[in-house]
Amino acid sequence: MTKALISGASIAGPTLAYWLHRYGWDVTVVEKAPAVRGGGYPIDVRGTALGVLDRMGVLPRVRAAHIDTRRLTFVAPNGKIVGSLNPDTMTGGAEERDIELPRGDLTTILYAAVRDDVEWIFNDSIGTLDDHGDGVTVTFVSGRTGEYDVVIGADGLHSHTRRLVFGPEEQFNHYLGYCFAGFTIPNDLGLSHEAKMWAAPGRMAAIYAPGCTDTLHGFLMAKRPIPPLAELRDVAAQRALLTEIFGGEGWLLPKLLDGMRAADDVFFDVTSQIRMPAWSRGRVALAGDAAHAPSFFSGQGTSIALVGGYVLAGELAGAAPEQAFTSYERRTREFVRQNQALADGGGSTLAPATNRALWFRNHVLLKAAPLFEKTGRLGGNVRKAATALTLPDYPGARRLVGAAGTSGN
């Protein structure tokens, strides 16, 4: 039986594990966290990626977790409301089509779909890799070893697998000019199914109510000409930096800063894309953000990861590793390119750099919203990119679709 090791248990990792198992592979997933991570900020799934969930038989569960954000309110630097619109206006979404849900909910659903079928190793990670042509010898940080036919790095933007095989991250990381932090705070404002977004030149703050719950998601983002890399592993430094940037402002900023300082789930990072000339070397390949992170500005990271996991497994099921990796890139690279391109200007849309740009963003977008809601033109680029790839009908996938009584894509 062909053996695969997948590093990472977020989106691409469990998706790939599911399909490789269905094609008869012996799969191990290693994750440095003690368990699959629940919670997290809301993410979107749309377009071709919905077909992957359908073929996995989990689409009904994912739809049931949809949080249905109905209103996005723009707030001026002085705290006054500028206006509101339906978020679907900006993404080209449509009722019963796109899905928005907490990232951790999707991860949990994907994990449950393959939990009992593959080996899971938590609290561990890859220490070293030795690709000797006929296979890959892996030594884990814990000291255990294993021999695998292929190794797949699905371990995120700051992928350790990528660093081991391809070298330092800096050569592939394209910084988009902003840092951000997400965290949860108590919902003592009575918000439901909505988001409020404050913006001043080069800065943005948001409070997000994912459905009707007792928890809100706080979000802070700021333009930084030099990426604050020293803060990535220093929570105290992250809090100090954001307090310096947003301290002294009105609206709900004091509440957000207090919530950030009290939160135990602060996620801080820089906005970056990963751009690589090749996603594989020998018997090692990358998937999801490790290969081609588009940044949250695109809104497509999750969807790309789902599609990539499905395609990579299908290609591995029918060819030798290096040939399969080549086909995987050939099928998906243009899809990735179009979705990464959605991030262009994302920072200037969320946090325009000047007062004039901020005024233009607020007033032009809001005045045009009624027209865009009728025509769907504003979200047209998102819709086009999200559906730019048609799922290949791999033989194993077709049999599964028929057995499950689902429609595929």
Side-chain angles (χ1 to χ4, degrees), residues 75-89:
V75 181
N78 62 6
K80 292 184 178 180
I81 293 176
V82 177
S84 301
L85 54 74
N86 187 315
D88 284 345
T89 302

Side-chain angles (χ1 to χ4, degrees), residues 115-127:
R115 177 182 53 214
D116 300 326
D117 299 323
V118 307
E119 179 186 16
W120 297 86
I121 303 173
F122 291 103
N123 271 323
D124 208 349
S125 59
I126 296 173

